[in-house]
Amino acid sequence: MLSYHWLTNLAMFFRRKYLRKALNIRCHKTSFIGFSVICEGSNGFAQHATIASSYLGFASYIAAHSHIQKTRIGRYSSIGPNVKCIFGRHPSSQFVSTHPSFFSLTPPVNLQLTEKQRFEEFPKPKDQKGRYTISIGNDVWIGANVSIMDGVSIGDGAIVAANALVNKDVAPYTVVGGIPAKQIKKRFDDADIEFLLGVCWWDRPLPWIQENAQYFENIERLKKITNEA
């Protein structure tokens, strides 16, 4: 009788093979892409990268040893190595104990000391269908060893420095770092950020991006050719 582990590996082998052929996706042989994951195409999954119950926009990639769950990721985003999503919350004030038995109707142990849910352990989903509780925008760079708390939204163009703990929303085109993550600076001035969010270049057709990629090294050049179009 075939073992469950062997069957899972076999199913994942054919899953990766399909993704490579159908969606031009680069998958390392040790990566795991859950069957509920939606990929737009041209994505990348490095060694031991794991993603489940998530959405991955066009050209976004997951680096080695990262574990992503219940997350919607936009287009052209870079998820660095050893990035993790952290789910569930515990009360840290007023409650005498942080143990789930005192506030949860579904504690992880066989002991329930409340007849009603007294603390919201999990945030509301970011989408109408209730699939994703973490949102990472377009053109986002998440550095190595970053931890992202459940319920967080990271805006378009943001950068999260290595080793940060993101426990609150990050504004578009903002660089954050530290434990917990705090704003370090904005990548551009407000006028340029407004321009980039208005252009939404990641939603442009790929031929347009290919034709104008040479201008992406300098925002002033991109603004000029966009205004001339």
Side-chain angles (χ1 to χ4, degrees):
M1 185 175 179
L2 296 176
S3 69
Y4 175 79
H5 181 71
W6 191 91
L7 287 173
T8 300
N9 287 340
L10 181 63
M12 190 50 54
F13 170 81
F14 285 108
R15 169 89 163 135
R16 289 191 292 263
K17 187 174 182 179
Y18 164 78
L19 291 172
R20 290 188 187 104
K21 185 175 181 180
L23 295 173
N24 190 34
I25 288 176
R26 181 178 296 177
C27 314
H28 191 272
K29 63 181 181 181
T30 60
S31 61
F32 180 91
I33 304 101
F35 288 91
S36 61
V37 173
I38 299 172
C39 299
E40 289 190 358
S42 293
N43 305 110
F45 301 94
Q47 58 269 33
H48 299 290
T50 300
I51 183 169
S53 303
S54 297
Y55 187 104
L56 195 62
F58 185 83
S60 293
Y61 68 89
I62 313 293
H65 298 279
S66 286
H67 302 280
I68 306 298
Q69 291 181 320
K70 297 180 68 177
T71 301
R72 183 180 178 92
I73 301 173
R75 297 171 176 171
Y76 300 93
S77 285
S78 307
I79 311 301
N82 202 36
V83 172
K84 292 179 172 61
C85 300
I86 300 176
F87 296 95
R89 298 180 293 190
H90 293 245
S92 58
S93 61
Q94 292 188 325
F95 277 77
V96 173
S97 174
T98 61
H99 196 278
S101 293
F102 292 95
F103 62 79
S104 176
L105 290 176
T106 56
V109 297
N110 287 325
L111 178 64
Q112 186 174 323
L113 300 173
T114 179
E115 295 181 352
K116 66 177 182 178
Q117 188 75 26
R118 297 181 180 275
F119 178 80
E120 293 300 324
E121 303 169 77
F122 305 100
K124 294 180 180 179
K126 301 292 184 180
D127 62 310
Q128 292 182 348
K129 294 184 178 180
R131 296 176 179 174
Y132 316 116
T133 55
I134 296 174
S135 175
I136 299 174
N138 305 282
D139 192 28
V140 173
W141 174 23
I142 308 292
N145 306 309
V146 168
S147 296
I148 305 172
M149 296 294 292
D150 199 8
V152 163
S153 292
I154 300 176
D156 296 329
I159 297 175
V160 180
N163 303 306
L165 170 63
V166 186
N167 66 345
K168 60 179 62 176
D169 292 352
V170 179
Y173 288 96
T174 301
V175 182
V176 301
I179 303 175
K182 297 181 180 180
Q183 178 175 323
I184 298 172
K185 64 176 184 178
K186 291 185 177 181
R187 292 180 58 193
F188 305 101
D189 62 33
D190 290 343
D192 285 344
I193 291 174
E194 184 178 358
F195 160 75
L196 290 167
L197 293 175
V199 169
C200 292
W201 62 262
W202 44 81
D203 288 333
R204 299 287 183 107
L206 184 57
W208 184 93
I209 295 175
Q210 291 171 326
E211 180 181 351
N212 294 288
Q214 59 184 313
Y215 304 114
F216 275 54
E217 65 181 26
N218 185 288
I219 190 171
E220 294 302 325
R221 296 182 67 193
L222 183 62
K223 286 166 67 176
K224 183 178 179 181
I225 65 100
T226 303
N227 292 331
E228 291 175 351

